[in-house]
PDB file of all heavy atoms in Angstrom:
ATOM      1  N   ARG A   1      -4.103   9.598  11.997  1.00 97.00           N
ATOM      2  CA  ARG A   1      -5.005   8.486  11.653  1.00 97.00           C
ATOM      3  C   ARG A   1      -5.183   8.357  10.134  1.00 97.00           C
ATOM      4  O   ARG A   1      -5.226   7.226   9.599  1.00 97.00           O
ATOM      5  CB  ARG A   1      -6.359   8.732  12.305  1.00 97.00           C
ATOM      6  CG  ARG A   1      -7.410   7.684  12.026  1.00 97.00           C
ATOM      7  CD  ARG A   1      -8.698   7.928  12.794  1.00 97.00           C
ATOM      8  NE  ARG A   1      -9.643   6.851  12.541  1.00 97.00           N
ATOM      9  CZ  ARG A   1     -10.554   6.886  11.556  1.00 97.00           C
ATOM     10  NH1 ARG A   1     -10.634   7.927  10.758  1.00 97.00           N
ATOM     11  NH2 ARG A   1     -11.394   5.864  11.402  1.00 97.00           N
ATOM     12  N   ALA A   2      -5.253   9.495   9.433  1.00 97.00           N
ATOM     13  CA  ALA A   2      -5.376   9.415   7.978  1.00 97.00           C
ATOM     14  C   ALA A   2      -4.120   8.896   7.296  1.00 97.00           C
ATOM     15  O   ALA A   2      -4.175   8.318   6.194  1.00 97.00           O
ATOM     16  CB  ALA A   2      -5.708  10.842   7.451  1.00 97.00           C
ATOM     17  N   MET A   3      -2.959   9.056   7.967  1.00 97.00           N
ATOM     18  CA  MET A   3      -1.700   8.569   7.403  1.00 97.00           C
ATOM     19  C   MET A   3      -1.546   7.059   7.542  1.00 97.00           C
ATOM     20  O   MET A   3      -0.849   6.438   6.730  1.00 97.00           O
ATOM     21  CB  MET A   3      -0.512   9.249   8.096  1.00 97.00           C
ATOM     22  CG  MET A   3      -0.409  10.746   7.911  1.00 97.00           C
ATOM     23  SD  MET A   3       0.998  11.374   8.895  1.00 97.00           S
ATOM     24  CE  MET A   3       0.693  13.123   8.765  1.00 97.00           C
ATOM     25  N   LEU A   4      -2.173   6.480   8.559  1.00 97.00           N
ATOM     26  CA  LEU A   4      -1.944   5.088   8.881  1.00 97.00           C
ATOM     27  C   LEU A   4      -2.207   4.124   7.715  1.00 97.00           C
ATOM     28  O   LEU A   4      -1.360   3.260   7.409  1.00 97.00           O
ATOM     29  CB  LEU A   4      -2.725   4.684  10.138  1.00 97.00           C
ATOM     30  CG  LEU A   4      -2.542   3.229  10.584  1.00 97.00           C
ATOM     31  CD1 LEU A   4      -1.069   2.930  10.891  1.00 97.00           C
ATOM     32  CD2 LEU A   4      -3.398   2.953  11.843  1.00 97.00           C
ATOM     33  N   PRO A   5      -3.375   4.212   7.038  1.00 97.00           N
ATOM     34  CA  PRO A   5      -3.591   3.278   5.916  1.00 97.00           C
ATOM     35  C   PRO A   5      -2.515   3.365   4.845  1.00 97.00           C
ATOM     36  O   PRO A   5      -2.110   2.353   4.263  1.00 97.00           O
ATOM     37  CB  PRO A   5      -4.962   3.688   5.366  1.00 97.00           C
ATOM     38  CG  PRO A   5      -5.635   4.374   6.529  1.00 97.00           C
ATOM     39  CD  PRO A   5      -4.555   5.075   7.249  1.00 97.00           C
ATOM     40  N   HIS A   6      -2.013   4.565   4.597  1.00 96.00           N
ATOM     41  CA  HIS A   6      -0.982   4.730   3.574  1.00 96.00           C
ATOM     42  C   HIS A   6       0.347   4.150   4.024  1.00 96.00           C
ATOM     43  O   HIS A   6       1.082   3.577   3.222  1.00 96.00           O
ATOM     44  CB  HIS A   6      -0.832   6.213   3.231  1.00 96.00           C
ATOM     45  CG  HIS A   6      -2.059   6.820   2.642  1.00 96.00           C
ATOM     46  ND1 HIS A   6      -2.398   6.711   1.292  1.00 96.00           N
ATOM     47  CD2 HIS A   6      -3.092   7.532   3.192  1.00 96.00           C
ATOM     48  CE1 HIS A   6      -3.537   7.311   1.078  1.00 96.00           C
ATOM     49  NE2 HIS A   6      -3.991   7.829   2.207  1.00 96.00           N
ATOM     50  N   ARG A   7       0.648   4.280   5.315  1.00 96.00           N
ATOM     51  CA  ARG A   7       1.877   3.674   5.817  1.00 96.00           C
ATOM     52  C   ARG A   7       1.783   2.143   5.796  1.00 96.00           C
ATOM     53  O   ARG A   7       2.748   1.467   5.465  1.00 96.00           O
ATOM     54  CB  ARG A   7       2.131   4.191   7.255  1.00 96.00           C
ATOM     55  CG  ARG A   7       2.413   5.689   7.346  1.00 96.00           C
ATOM     56  CD  ARG A   7       3.648   6.069   6.499  1.00 96.00           C
ATOM     57  NE  ARG A   7       4.810   5.280   6.845  1.00 96.00           N
ATOM     58  CZ  ARG A   7       5.631   5.562   7.846  1.00 96.00           C
ATOM     59  NH1 ARG A   7       5.403   6.634   8.596  1.00 96.00           N
ATOM     60  NH2 ARG A   7       6.661   4.783   8.125  1.00 96.00           N
ATOM     61  N   LEU A   8       0.624   1.617   6.138  1.00 96.00           N
ATOM     62  CA  LEU A   8       0.438   0.168   6.071  1.00 96.00           C
ATOM     63  C   LEU A   8       0.530  -0.321   4.620  1.00 96.00           C
ATOM     64  O   LEU A   8       1.142  -1.353   4.315  1.00 96.00           O
ATOM     65  CB  LEU A   8      -0.927  -0.220   6.660  1.00 96.00           C
ATOM     66  CG  LEU A   8      -1.088   0.031   8.185  1.00 96.00           C
ATOM     67  CD1 LEU A   8      -2.531  -0.254   8.597  1.00 96.00           C
ATOM     68  CD2 LEU A   8      -0.110  -0.828   8.999  1.00 96.00           C
ATOM     69  N   ALA A   9      -0.075   0.425   3.708  1.00 95.00           N
ATOM     70  CA  ALA A   9      -0.026   0.055   2.285  1.00 95.00           C
ATOM     71  C   ALA A   9       1.430   0.104   1.775  1.00 95.00           C
ATOM     72  O   ALA A   9       1.828  -0.753   0.944  1.00 95.00           O
ATOM     73  CB  ALA A   9      -0.910   0.993   1.456  1.00 95.00           C
ATOM     74  N   HIS A  10       2.189   1.082   2.250  1.00 94.00           N
ATOM     75  CA  HIS A  10       3.594   1.165   1.843  1.00 94.00           C
ATOM     76  C   HIS A  10       4.363  -0.063   2.311  1.00 94.00           C
ATOM     77  O   HIS A  10       5.205  -0.602   1.582  1.00 94.00           O
ATOM     78  CB  HIS A  10       4.235   2.411   2.424  1.00 94.00           C
ATOM     79  CG  HIS A  10       5.681   2.557   2.081  1.00 94.00           C
ATOM     80  ND1 HIS A  10       6.122   2.891   0.847  1.00 94.00           N
ATOM     81  CD2 HIS A  10       6.793   2.378   2.850  1.00 94.00           C
ATOM     82  CE1 HIS A  10       7.448   2.929   0.819  1.00 94.00           C
ATOM     83  NE2 HIS A  10       7.896   2.619   2.041  1.00 94.00           N
ATOM     84  N   ALA A  11       4.062  -0.545   3.535  1.00 95.00           N
ATOM     85  CA  ALA A  11       4.733  -1.749   4.028  1.00 95.00           C
ATOM     86  C   ALA A  11       4.386  -2.943   3.142  1.00 95.00           C
ATOM     87  O   ALA A  11       5.232  -3.823   2.877  1.00 95.00           O
ATOM     88  CB  ALA A  11       4.305  -2.028   5.482  1.00 95.00           C
ATOM     89  N   VAL A  12       3.154  -3.025   2.659  1.00 93.00           N
ATOM     90  CA  VAL A  12       2.759  -4.117   1.744  1.00 93.00           C
ATOM     91  C   VAL A  12       3.511  -3.994   0.422  1.00 93.00           C
ATOM     92  O   VAL A  12       4.019  -4.985  -0.159  1.00 93.00           O
ATOM     93  CB  VAL A  12       1.236  -4.097   1.517  1.00 93.00           C
ATOM     94  CG1 VAL A  12       0.849  -5.090   0.416  1.00 93.00           C
ATOM     95  CG2 VAL A  12       0.475  -4.396   2.808  1.00 93.00           C
ATOM     96  N   LEU A  13       3.638  -2.761  -0.103  1.00 93.00           N
ATOM     97  CA  LEU A  13       4.332  -2.540  -1.368  1.00 93.00           C
ATOM     98  C   LEU A  13       5.804  -2.925  -1.272  1.00 93.00           C
ATOM     99  O   LEU A  13       6.387  -3.451  -2.259  1.00 93.00           O
ATOM    100  CB  LEU A  13       4.190  -1.081  -1.818  1.00 93.00           C
ATOM    101  CG  LEU A  13       3.155  -0.849  -2.947  1.00 93.00           C
ATOM    102  CD1 LEU A  13       1.765  -1.151  -2.386  1.00 93.00           C
ATOM    103  CD2 LEU A  13       3.230   0.559  -3.447  1.00 93.00           C
ATOM    104  N   VAL A  14       6.422  -2.679  -0.128  1.00 92.00           N
ATOM    105  CA  VAL A  14       7.810  -3.083   0.073  1.00 92.00           C
ATOM    106  C   VAL A  14       7.951  -4.596  -0.105  1.00 92.00           C
ATOM    107  O   VAL A  14       8.880  -5.112  -0.747  1.00 92.00           O
ATOM    108  CB  VAL A  14       8.324  -2.607   1.432  1.00 92.00           C
ATOM    109  CG1 VAL A  14       9.681  -3.218   1.713  1.00 92.00           C
ATOM    110  CG2 VAL A  14       8.436  -1.078   1.455  1.00 92.00           C
ATOM    111  N   GLN A  15       7.008  -5.330   0.453  1.00 91.00           N
ATOM    112  CA  GLN A  15       7.026  -6.785   0.315  1.00 91.00           C
ATOM    113  C   GLN A  15       6.806  -7.198  -1.140  1.00 91.00           C
ATOM    114  O   GLN A  15       7.417  -8.137  -1.636  1.00 91.00           O
ATOM    115  CB  GLN A  15       5.965  -7.435   1.224  1.00 91.00           C
ATOM    116  CG  GLN A  15       6.228  -7.257   2.695  1.00 91.00           C
ATOM    117  CD  GLN A  15       5.276  -8.039   3.566  1.00 91.00           C
ATOM    118  OE1 GLN A  15       4.677  -9.034   3.084  1.00 91.00           O
ATOM    119  NE2 GLN A  15       5.115  -7.669   4.805  1.00 91.00           N
ATOM    120  N   MET A  16       5.896  -6.489  -1.823  1.00 90.00           N
ATOM    121  CA  MET A  16       5.666  -6.808  -3.236  1.00 90.00           C
ATOM    122  C   MET A  16       6.927  -6.598  -4.074  1.00 90.00           C
ATOM    123  O   MET A  16       7.275  -7.418  -4.912  1.00 90.00           O
ATOM    124  CB  MET A  16       4.552  -5.905  -3.788  1.00 90.00           C
ATOM    125  CG  MET A  16       3.149  -6.210  -3.272  1.00 90.00           C
ATOM    126  SD  MET A  16       1.931  -5.093  -3.988  1.00 90.00           S
ATOM    127  CE  MET A  16       0.404  -5.732  -3.262  1.00 90.00           C
ATOM    128  N   GLU A  17       7.630  -5.526  -3.811  1.00 88.00           N
ATOM    129  CA  GLU A  17       8.855  -5.261  -4.529  1.00 88.00           C
ATOM    130  C   GLU A  17       9.903  -6.311  -4.239  1.00 88.00           C
ATOM    131  O   GLU A  17      10.674  -6.745  -5.113  1.00 88.00           O
ATOM    132  CB  GLU A  17       9.367  -3.844  -4.194  1.00 88.00           C
ATOM    133  CG  GLU A  17       8.493  -2.743  -4.758  1.00 88.00           C
ATOM    134  CD  GLU A  17       8.865  -1.372  -4.208  1.00 88.00           C
ATOM    135  OE1 GLU A  17       9.669  -1.332  -3.235  1.00 88.00           O
ATOM    136  OE2 GLU A  17       8.402  -0.375  -4.756  1.00 88.00           O
ATOM    137  N   SER A  18       9.958  -6.732  -2.951  1.00 88.00           N
ATOM    138  CA  SER A  18      10.932  -7.759  -2.574  1.00 88.00           C
ATOM    139  C   SER A  18      10.620  -9.090  -3.252  1.00 88.00           C
ATOM    140  O   SER A  18      11.532  -9.913  -3.506  1.00 88.00           O
ATOM    141  CB  SER A  18      10.929  -7.974  -1.062  1.00 88.00           C
ATOM    142  OG  SER A  18      11.299  -6.788  -0.376  1.00 88.00           O
ATOM    143  N   ALA A  19       9.338  -9.285  -3.580  1.00 85.00           N
ATOM    144  CA  ALA A  19       8.935 -10.532  -4.268  1.00 85.00           C
ATOM    145  C   ALA A  19       9.082 -10.438  -5.781  1.00 85.00           C
ATOM    146  O   ALA A  19       8.733 -11.372  -6.533  1.00 85.00           O
ATOM    147  CB  ALA A  19       7.478 -10.874  -3.901  1.00 85.00           C
ATOM    148  N   GLY A  20       9.596  -9.303  -6.303  1.00 83.00           N
ATOM    149  CA  GLY A  20       9.831  -9.179  -7.717  1.00 83.00           C
ATOM    150  C   GLY A  20       8.783  -8.397  -8.449  1.00 83.00           C
ATOM    151  O   GLY A  20       8.926  -8.190  -9.684  1.00 83.00           O
ATOM    152  N   ASP A  21       7.702  -7.927  -7.799  1.00 85.00           N
ATOM    153  CA  ASP A  21       6.668  -7.125  -8.476  1.00 85.00           C
ATOM    154  C   ASP A  21       7.181  -5.714  -8.654  1.00 85.00           C
ATOM    155  O   ASP A  21       8.155  -5.274  -8.038  1.00 85.00           O
ATOM    156  CB  ASP A  21       5.374  -7.113  -7.668  1.00 85.00           C
ATOM    157  CG  ASP A  21       4.667  -8.487  -7.684  1.00 85.00           C
ATOM    158  OD1 ASP A  21       5.094  -9.352  -8.468  1.00 85.00           O
ATOM    159  OD2 ASP A  21       3.750  -8.675  -6.872  1.00 85.00           O
ATOM    160  N   SER A  22       6.456  -4.954  -9.496  1.00 82.00           N
ATOM    161  CA  SER A  22       6.794  -3.530  -9.731  1.00 82.00           C
ATOM    162  C   SER A  22       5.542  -2.662  -9.526  1.00 82.00           C
ATOM    163  O   SER A  22       5.027  -2.045 -10.453  1.00 82.00           O
ATOM    164  CB  SER A  22       7.336  -3.343 -11.146  1.00 82.00           C
ATOM    165  OG  SER A  22       8.494  -4.142 -11.334  1.00 82.00           O
ATOM    166  N   PRO A  23       5.051  -2.582  -8.314  1.00 83.00           N
ATOM    167  CA  PRO A  23       3.835  -1.799  -8.068  1.00 83.00           C
ATOM    168  C   PRO A  23       4.132  -0.315  -8.150  1.00 83.00           C
ATOM    169  O   PRO A  23       5.231   0.140  -7.817  1.00 83.00           O
ATOM    170  CB  PRO A  23       3.460  -2.214  -6.621  1.00 83.00           C
ATOM    171  CG  PRO A  23       4.760  -2.579  -5.974  1.00 83.00           C
ATOM    172  CD  PRO A  23       5.589  -3.215  -7.064  1.00 83.00           C
ATOM    173  N   ASP A  24       3.133   0.477  -8.591  1.00 85.00           N
ATOM    174  CA  ASP A  24       3.294   1.924  -8.638  1.00 85.00           C
ATOM    175  C   ASP A  24       2.385   2.590  -7.601  1.00 85.00           C
ATOM    176  O   ASP A  24       1.773   1.927  -6.778  1.00 85.00           O
ATOM    177  CB  ASP A  24       2.986   2.442 -10.035  1.00 85.00           C
ATOM    178  CG  ASP A  24       1.583   2.061 -10.522  1.00 85.00           C
ATOM    179  OD1 ASP A  24       0.744   1.673  -9.669  1.00 85.00           O
ATOM    180  OD2 ASP A  24       1.321   2.097 -11.746  1.00 85.00           O
ATOM    181  N   ASP A  25       2.287   3.925  -7.674  1.00 85.00           N
ATOM    182  CA  ASP A  25       1.483   4.665  -6.669  1.00 85.00           C
ATOM    183  C   ASP A  25       0.040   4.295  -6.706  1.00 85.00           C
ATOM    184  O   ASP A  25      -0.649   4.315  -5.700  1.00 85.00           O
ATOM    185  CB  ASP A  25       1.642   6.172  -6.916  1.00 85.00           C
ATOM    186  CG  ASP A  25       3.040   6.697  -6.563  1.00 85.00           C
ATOM    187  OD1 ASP A  25       3.755   5.959  -5.867  1.00 85.00           O
ATOM    188  OD2 ASP A  25       3.384   7.788  -6.984  1.00 85.00           O
ATOM    189  N   ARG A  26      -0.466   3.901  -7.921  1.00 91.00           N
ATOM    190  CA  ARG A  26      -1.877   3.529  -8.013  1.00 91.00           C
ATOM    191  C   ARG A  26      -2.155   2.261  -7.200  1.00 91.00           C
ATOM    192  O   ARG A  26      -3.187   2.123  -6.599  1.00 91.00           O
ATOM    193  CB  ARG A  26      -2.270   3.339  -9.445  1.00 91.00           C
ATOM    194  CG  ARG A  26      -2.323   4.634 -10.290  1.00 91.00           C
ATOM    195  CD  ARG A  26      -2.594   4.361 -11.720  1.00 91.00           C
ATOM    196  NE  ARG A  26      -1.512   3.572 -12.305  1.00 91.00           N
ATOM    197  CZ  ARG A  26      -1.508   3.109 -13.557  1.00 91.00           C
ATOM    198  NH1 ARG A  26      -2.578   3.368 -14.350  1.00 91.00           N
ATOM    199  NH2 ARG A  26      -0.505   2.391 -14.018  1.00 91.00           N
ATOM    200  N   VAL A  27      -1.190   1.361  -7.228  1.00 90.00           N
ATOM    201  CA  VAL A  27      -1.352   0.127  -6.449  1.00 90.00           C
ATOM    202  C   VAL A  27      -1.350   0.459  -4.938  1.00 90.00           C
ATOM    203  O   VAL A  27      -2.174  -0.077  -4.211  1.00 90.00           O
ATOM    204  CB  VAL A  27      -0.233  -0.870  -6.799  1.00 90.00           C
ATOM    205  CG1 VAL A  27      -0.322  -2.093  -5.874  1.00 90.00           C
ATOM    206  CG2 VAL A  27      -0.319  -1.285  -8.245  1.00 90.00           C
ATOM    207  N   GLN A  28      -0.430   1.333  -4.535  1.00 91.00           N
ATOM    208  CA  GLN A  28      -0.380   1.704  -3.111  1.00 91.00           C
ATOM    209  C   GLN A  28      -1.696   2.337  -2.681  1.00 91.00           C
ATOM    210  O   GLN A  28      -2.225   2.057  -1.616  1.00 91.00           O
ATOM    211  CB  GLN A  28       0.773   2.655  -2.832  1.00 91.00           C
ATOM    212  CG  GLN A  28       0.817   3.082  -1.341  1.00 91.00           C
ATOM    213  CD  GLN A  28       2.080   3.862  -1.022  1.00 91.00           C
ATOM    214  OE1 GLN A  28       3.067   3.747  -1.713  1.00 91.00           O
ATOM    215  NE2 GLN A  28       2.001   4.635   0.063  1.00 91.00           N
ATOM    216  N   GLY A  29      -2.264   3.223  -3.541  1.00 92.00           N
ATOM    217  CA  GLY A  29      -3.543   3.849  -3.219  1.00 92.00           C
ATOM    218  C   GLY A  29      -4.663   2.831  -3.110  1.00 92.00           C
ATOM    219  O   GLY A  29      -5.503   2.920  -2.221  1.00 92.00           O
ATOM    220  N   ALA A  30      -4.657   1.870  -4.001  1.00 94.00           N
ATOM    221  CA  ALA A  30      -5.702   0.844  -3.999  1.00 94.00           C
ATOM    222  C   ALA A  30      -5.570  -0.026  -2.735  1.00 94.00           C
ATOM    223  O   ALA A  30      -6.593  -0.381  -2.108  1.00 94.00           O
ATOM    224  CB  ALA A  30      -5.593  -0.040  -5.242  1.00 94.00           C
ATOM    225  N   VAL A  31      -4.365  -0.359  -2.334  1.00 94.00           N
ATOM    226  CA  VAL A  31      -4.164  -1.136  -1.095  1.00 94.00           C
ATOM    227  C   VAL A  31      -4.613  -0.334   0.120  1.00 94.00           C
ATOM    228  O   VAL A  31      -5.273  -0.852   1.010  1.00 94.00           O
ATOM    229  CB  VAL A  31      -2.689  -1.567  -0.953  1.00 94.00           C
ATOM    230  CG1 VAL A  31      -2.454  -2.225   0.392  1.00 94.00           C
ATOM    231  CG2 VAL A  31      -2.291  -2.527  -2.081  1.00 94.00           C
ATOM    232  N   ALA A  32      -4.265   0.980   0.130  1.00 95.00           N
ATOM    233  CA  ALA A  32      -4.657   1.804   1.283  1.00 95.00           C
ATOM    234  C   ALA A  32      -6.156   1.902   1.406  1.00 95.00           C
ATOM    235  O   ALA A  32      -6.708   2.018   2.525  1.00 95.00           O
ATOM    236  CB  ALA A  32      -4.044   3.176   1.132  1.00 95.00           C
ATOM    237  N   ARG A  33      -6.884   1.856   0.244  1.00 95.00           N
ATOM    238  CA  ARG A  33      -8.334   1.961   0.265  1.00 95.00           C
ATOM    239  C   ARG A  33      -9.040   0.622   0.404  1.00 95.00           C
ATOM    240  O   ARG A  33     -10.256   0.589   0.529  1.00 95.00           O
ATOM    241  CB  ARG A  33      -8.817   2.669  -1.017  1.00 95.00           C
ATOM    242  CG  ARG A  33      -8.393   4.111  -1.152  1.00 95.00           C
ATOM    243  CD  ARG A  33      -9.115   4.770  -2.306  1.00 95.00           C
ATOM    244  NE  ARG A  33      -8.816   4.114  -3.579  1.00 95.00           N
ATOM    245  CZ  ARG A  33      -7.782   4.420  -4.370  1.00 95.00           C
ATOM    246  NH1 ARG A  33      -6.946   5.383  -4.019  1.00 95.00           N
ATOM    247  NH2 ARG A  33      -7.597   3.765  -5.520  1.00 95.00           N
ATOM    248  N   SER A  34      -8.282  -0.425   0.390  1.00 95.00           N
ATOM    249  CA  SER A  34      -8.915  -1.761   0.435  1.00 95.00           C
ATOM    250  C   SER A  34      -9.569  -2.008   1.776  1.00 95.00           C
ATOM    251  O   SER A  34      -9.166  -1.443   2.798  1.00 95.00           O
ATOM    252  CB  SER A  34      -7.848  -2.841   0.176  1.00 95.00           C
ATOM    253  OG  SER A  34      -6.891  -2.887   1.231  1.00 95.00           O
ATOM    254  N   ARG A  35     -10.578  -2.867   1.764  1.00 95.00           N
ATOM    255  CA  ARG A  35     -11.355  -3.118   2.966  1.00 95.00           C
ATOM    256  C   ARG A  35     -10.497  -3.699   4.113  1.00 95.00           C
ATOM    257  O   ARG A  35     -10.646  -3.248   5.241  1.00 95.00           O
ATOM    258  CB  ARG A  35     -12.520  -4.069   2.627  1.00 95.00           C
ATOM    259  CG  ARG A  35     -13.457  -4.329   3.826  1.00 95.00           C
ATOM    260  CD  ARG A  35     -14.667  -5.120   3.415  1.00 95.00           C
ATOM    261  NE  ARG A  35     -15.430  -4.399   2.384  1.00 95.00           N
ATOM    262  CZ  ARG A  35     -16.503  -4.908   1.802  1.00 95.00           C
ATOM    263  NH1 ARG A  35     -16.912  -6.146   2.072  1.00 95.00           N
ATOM    264  NH2 ARG A  35     -17.169  -4.224   0.897  1.00 95.00           N
ATOM    265  N   PRO A  36      -9.599  -4.646   3.867  1.00 95.00           N
ATOM    266  CA  PRO A  36      -8.808  -5.160   5.008  1.00 95.00           C
ATOM    267  C   PRO A  36      -7.944  -4.100   5.669  1.00 95.00           C
ATOM    268  O   PRO A  36      -7.818  -4.085   6.895  1.00 95.00           O
ATOM    269  CB  PRO A  36      -7.963  -6.265   4.347  1.00 95.00           C
ATOM    270  CG  PRO A  36      -8.692  -6.655   3.126  1.00 95.00           C
ATOM    271  CD  PRO A  36      -9.355  -5.410   2.633  1.00 95.00           C
ATOM    272  N   VAL A  37      -7.296  -3.249   4.853  1.00 96.00           N
ATOM    273  CA  VAL A  37      -6.436  -2.216   5.411  1.00 96.00           C
ATOM    274  C   VAL A  37      -7.265  -1.182   6.183  1.00 96.00           C
ATOM    275  O   VAL A  37      -6.910  -0.770   7.273  1.00 96.00           O
ATOM    276  CB  VAL A  37      -5.589  -1.552   4.306  1.00 96.00           C
ATOM    277  CG1 VAL A  37      -4.837  -0.336   4.876  1.00 96.00           C
ATOM    278  CG2 VAL A  37      -4.607  -2.557   3.722  1.00 96.00           C
TER     279      VAL A  37
END
């Protein structure tokens, strides 16, 4: 259960990278902690 938000955040980061962004680990952590995720 604790892994799930991080796996979901990773899926979002993959899309960001495909769109030309360059997110780092801090971005992934912020997405994993975000209210929607």
Side-chain angles (χ1 to χ4, degrees):
R1 179 175 183 269
M3 296 177 191
L4 181 58
H6 297 278
R7 295 301 306 275
L8 295 173
H10 178 73
V12 172
L13 258 66
V14 170
Q15 293 188 22
M16 290 180 177
E17 290 171 348
S18 298
D21 290 349
S22 301
D24 56 18
D25 290 344
R26 290 175 297 176
V27 174
Q28 179 172 336
V31 172
R33 294 190 300 271
S34 67
R35 184 174 299 176
V37 171

